[in-house]
Amino acid sequence: MHEYSIVQAMFDQIEAQARERHAIAVKRVYVRIGRSAGVDVPLLKTAYDTFRVRTICDTAPLDVEEVPEKWTCPAGHGDIPAGRPLTCPDCGRPARMASGDEIVLERLELEVP
Amino acid sequence: MCDSCGCGDSDIVPVAVHERILANNERAARHNREHFHDHHVSVINLMGSPGAGKTAVLEATARTLGPSKKLGVLVGDLATDNDARRVRAAGIAAEAITTGSACHLDADMVHKGLHRLAWRDLDILFIENVGNLVCPAVYDLGQDVNVVALSVTEGEDKPLKYPTIFRKADLVLLTKIDLLPVLSDISVARIQENLSLVMPKPLMIPVSATTGRGIDRWVQWLSDIRPLPHAHHHGHSHAHGHEHAHTHTHG
């Protein structure tokens, strides 16, 4: 249930952004979550809905973009297909994760005076 | 203020943030890592399910390595300091980090735990994480390496069910291998195969804390940990000399 502590960290970032721009309210929150980041998206949304009540995010929906997991050869031999061992079939090098590990606050829509 | 007609209504403005949500934890982890490197302490983040044998591995490690290296442990647990007391009884300096309801350790909790442990003189500091295969994977603590303890009784498909924690592991310790003779349906080779689907460097060392089998190889791996320099470090390091090691099936 670390989704709650992730949401807590996200609120700290959102509040810092809102303060800096003297925002009255946050109207929308966009995050990017990798499919292999170890974050359960439905739980994240539940945690967000629990936290946002009576905060600056009270009326701000949370948009989650889920980023697919992608592995690639570090020497440029292309992507490793899903479900295969994580080594390059051409050169045997351990694959590098190209995406799927993101836990990122991407952007906000702020209401400013 | 609305610019077009001056009506006094507020505006909605988009703000690009592009910030990692756990950036604060990562900063705290970097801070820990700098401390550890400055004092030449190798730090192992030991993770695994409740009951995987993390504490038993530490006790066996103390028996083998205790006489030649200074070892210390920070033990994360929801409640009780039972594990810390077990490890202390084995002769290692240990302090408990009681997390309350938190399911994982974070870099800040480790930092606070360090204040209670004489860690600067250690050769190796183990951070025994909360027993959990999900949450601990997400938090960098400032460690050099991640080790996941997986017991043979947990099933061959554990790596496929919890890919994130295994992906981040530098080493998987396959524990309780003394039980393999009574587990007719468990194949060590299949566990290794499943690891290769989720770990780019699927290194596994089979051990038994009870018989001591494999502990020498684990201890050698520990001694070979070479921390990377501070700069460009993203939570991974490499234990040299064992990249191409292969495990053997037993029984």
Side-chain angles (χ1 to χ4, degrees):
Chain A
M1 286 295 281
H2 57 298
E3 283 76 11
Y4 279 85
S5 67
I6 289 173
V7 166
Q8 186 67 65
M10 189 171 90
F11 267 81
D12 292 344
Q13 287 170 325
I14 294 172
E15 277 162 11
Q17 292 286 343
R19 251 196 322 273
E20 193 179 312
R21 291 172 171 79
H22 309 287
I24 307 161
V26 179
K27 301 309 280 184
R28 195 173 279 273
V29 178
Y30 296 87
V31 297
R32 299 177 76 224
I33 305 290
R35 289 246 162 80
S36 177
V39 176
D40 184 87
V41 170
L43 264 181
L44 185 77
K45 288 179 172 168
T46 306
Y48 176 78
D49 286 339
T50 309
F51 266 103
R52 71 164 155 163
V53 179
R54 286 195 291 275
T55 70
I56 195 165
C57 294
D58 205 349
T59 62
L62 175 68
D63 274 10
V64 179
E65 181 196 339
E66 292 189 64
V67 184
E69 182 176 344
K70 209 171 102 177
W71 291 84
T72 185
C73 168
H77 294 120
D79 292 345
I80 315 293
R84 301 290 306 279
L86 297 177
T87 46
C88 174
D90 292 327
C91 66
R93 284 186 177 85
R96 186 176 55 79
M97 195 175 208
S99 71
D101 195 30
E102 299 80 355
I103 307 177
V104 177
L105 176 61
E106 194 59 32
R107 58 186 193 280
L108 300 169
E109 281 177 12
L110 299 180
E111 183 179 0
V112 295
Chain B
M1 175 84 70
C2 163
D3 291 333
S4 26
C5 65
C7 63
D9 283 352
S10 54
D11 282 336
I12 307 294
V13 295
V15 176
V17 185
H18 304 304
E19 207 173 30
R20 294 170 61 82
I21 292 176
L22 297 178
N24 266 334
N25 183 69
E26 285 154 17
R27 264 191 292 278
R30 263 198 308 279
H31 178 76
N32 289 348
R33 189 167 280 121
E34 283 166 17
H35 277 322
F36 296 144
H37 288 189
D38 289 347
H39 292 87
H40 308 286
V41 184
S42 301
V43 181
I44 290 92
N45 179 16
L46 180 58
M47 301 178 281
S49 312
K54 296 182 293 296
T55 310
V57 161
L58 292 178
E59 290 170 318
T61 309
R63 288 193 287 276
T64 310
L65 210 52
S68 56
K69 301 256 190 198
K70 286 197 79 170
L71 310 178
V73 187
L74 281 177
V75 187
D77 229 327
L78 298 183
T80 85
D81 63 345
N82 291 354
D83 287 357
R85 281 194 276 128
R86 268 177 69 185
V87 172
R88 241 179 259 137
I92 318 182
E95 280 297 330
I97 304 176
T98 310
T99 59
S101 59
C103 46
H104 60 273
L105 293 176
D106 65 27
D108 203 42
M109 291 181 213
V110 167
H111 190 252
K112 289 190 178 109
L114 290 175
H115 292 159
R116 292 185 281 114
L117 186 75
W119 61 273
R120 286 178 184 78
D121 306 326
L122 300 176
D123 296 308
I124 304 177
L125 171 66
F126 296 93
I127 302 169
E128 183 184 334
N129 219 311
V130 179
N132 181 333
L133 284 180
V134 182
C135 315
V138 179
Y139 293 83
D140 186 7
L141 306 177
Q143 72 278 6
D144 293 306
V145 289
N146 284 324
V147 175
V148 175
L150 169 67
S151 65
V152 291
T153 52
E154 289 176 64
E156 295 166 349
D157 57 351
K158 220 50 185 285
L160 306 181
K161 287 179 177 163
Y162 300 92
T164 303
I165 201 161
F166 287 98
R167 166 166 66 76
K168 296 195 175 180
D170 296 285
L171 169 72
V172 170
L173 270 182
L174 186 66
T175 59
K176 309 189 189 180
I177 56 165
D178 52 295
L179 297 179
L180 281 172
V182 294
L183 299 169
S184 53
D185 55 339
I186 297 287
S187 148
V188 173
R190 272 200 297 274
I191 296 175
Q192 176 79 64
E193 258 170 52
N194 286 339
L195 287 176
S196 72
L197 297 175
V198 296
M199 288 170 78
K201 291 184 191 172
L203 178 63
M204 175 176 87
I205 299 182
V207 297
S208 164
T210 309
T211 66
R213 190 161 179 187
I215 295 294
D216 51 345
R217 203 174 145 210
W218 151 243
V219 158
Q220 184 59 51
W221 185 86
L222 284 176
S223 309
D224 289 343
I225 294 170
R226 297 283 175 272
L228 293 176
H230 299 168
H232 314 298
H233 197 287
H234 297 286
H236 273 77
S237 173
H238 306 278
H240 293 291
H242 288 266
E243 280 88 349
H244 305 288
H246 291 283
T247 53
H248 303 282
T249 53
H250 294 269

